[in-house]
Every structure is written in C-alpha cells, then in structure tokens.
Amino acid sequence: MLSVVQDNLAFIVVTVTSGILFLICLGFIFGLQKKLEQSHKNQKFLKQQLEEATAQTEILRSEIAEFRSGLMSIGKRLLACENFAKDLAQQQAAQKYDDPDAKIYSRAVKMIELGADLDEIMRECEIPRAEAELLLSLHQKQS
C-alpha cells in the first residue's frame, strides 16, 4: 500500500509540476504574443510614417522643380534686361559722339576737370554763361 501511496504521490507531483510548467509556458506564449502584437503595431506605425515622409518628399520635389523653373525664368529675364541695358548704353555712347553739341559739352566738362574758370569755358566752348555755370555747378556736386 505504501507503494500505491508513493505512486499516487509521484503522480500528483508530476501532475502539479506539469501544470506549473504548462502555466509558465502559457505565460511565455502570451508574453511573446504581446511583444509580437506590439512589434506589428510599431511596424504599422513606422510604415505609415514612411508613407507620409515619402509623400512629403514628393511634394517637396515638386515645389523644388517649380522653384527651379521660376529661377530659370527670372534668370532669362535678367539676362535679357542686361543685354537691353548694354544695347542702350552702346546707343547712348554712339549718340554722344554723333551729336556735335555733346562734344562741346564733353569738352567743357573736361576743361572743368582740368580746373578752367567760367570765362575760359564760355570762350573756348562757345556756350552761354548759364550753361557754363550749370556745368560747373553739376561737376562741383559730383566731386
């Protein structure tokens, strides 16, 4: 009878131990399942962030392309304006040398730069006193 009790006791110990091991394994399984679910949530969140970042990147690329296009347009306009200004300056310079009156005034300005007085400028350039005074006044303001 002792052996039956020992067998029953051994069976109870094995059963209780198996039950405890089963519960421990079950706890590990639930813990791993929770971690797996959390990993899936994190993965979904990261995937969503990646999609949003990709969309934002595309928007920014589009805006950069528009900005670049606008800059190119402005650059072309600026170049056209610079060429126009150069042409105007050349035309103005050409007119300066074609106009005989301009030569007289250019000579008067040169004389002023060299220190000529009012009477000398009037006499040499054959310009009226008011014009000579005006040229003298303008040149003195520039110096």
Side-chain angles (χ1 to χ4, degrees):
M1 174 127 136
L2 188 59
S3 107
V4 173
V5 172
Q6 285 179 343
D7 285 342
N8 281 343
L9 187 59
F11 177 73
I12 291 173
V13 170
V14 169
T15 305
V16 170
T17 306
S18 296
I20 291 173
L21 286 175
F22 176 75
L23 290 176
I24 291 172
C25 288
L26 199 56
F28 280 132
I29 290 172
F30 282 128
L32 290 174
Q33 186 177 7
K34 292 244 184 216
K35 286 186 179 183
L36 184 62
E37 287 175 5
Q38 186 63 36
S39 294
H40 284 298
K41 286 180 183 177
N42 287 342
Q43 182 184 11
K44 285 181 182 180
F45 177 73
L46 291 174
K47 186 176 180 182
Q48 182 183 4
Q49 281 187 328
L50 178 62
E51 289 171 357
E52 289 173 2
T54 302
Q56 187 67 29
T57 301
E58 288 303 315
I59 291 169
L60 291 174
R61 283 185 181 166
S62 173
E63 288 176 359
I64 288 172
E66 288 179 33
F67 186 68
R68 187 178 296 150
S69 175
L71 283 177
M72 292 296 288
S73 176
I74 290 170
K76 288 177 183 176
R77 287 180 178 173
L78 182 61
L79 188 60
C81 288
E82 286 176 349
N83 289 336
F84 184 73
K86 284 179 186 176
D87 289 344
L88 282 178
Q90 288 175 348
Q91 289 174 3
Q92 189 178 21
Q95 286 177 352
K96 180 178 173 180
Y97 293 116
D98 291 344
D99 186 10
D101 289 337
K103 289 180 183 177
I104 292 172
Y105 293 117
S106 294
R107 185 172 177 220
V109 170
K110 275 278 195 222
M111 290 178 69
I112 292 170
E113 289 173 356
L114 295 173
D117 65 354
L118 186 65
D119 292 326
E120 186 178 357
I121 294 169
M122 289 172 32
R123 184 178 58 252
E124 291 293 324
C125 298
E126 298 177 356
I127 57 175
R129 179 177 210 70
E131 290 179 11
E133 288 174 349
L134 179 62
L135 285 173
L136 199 65
S137 170
L138 285 174
H139 178 70
Q140 288 173 347
K141 286 184 181 177
Q142 290 176 353
S143 299

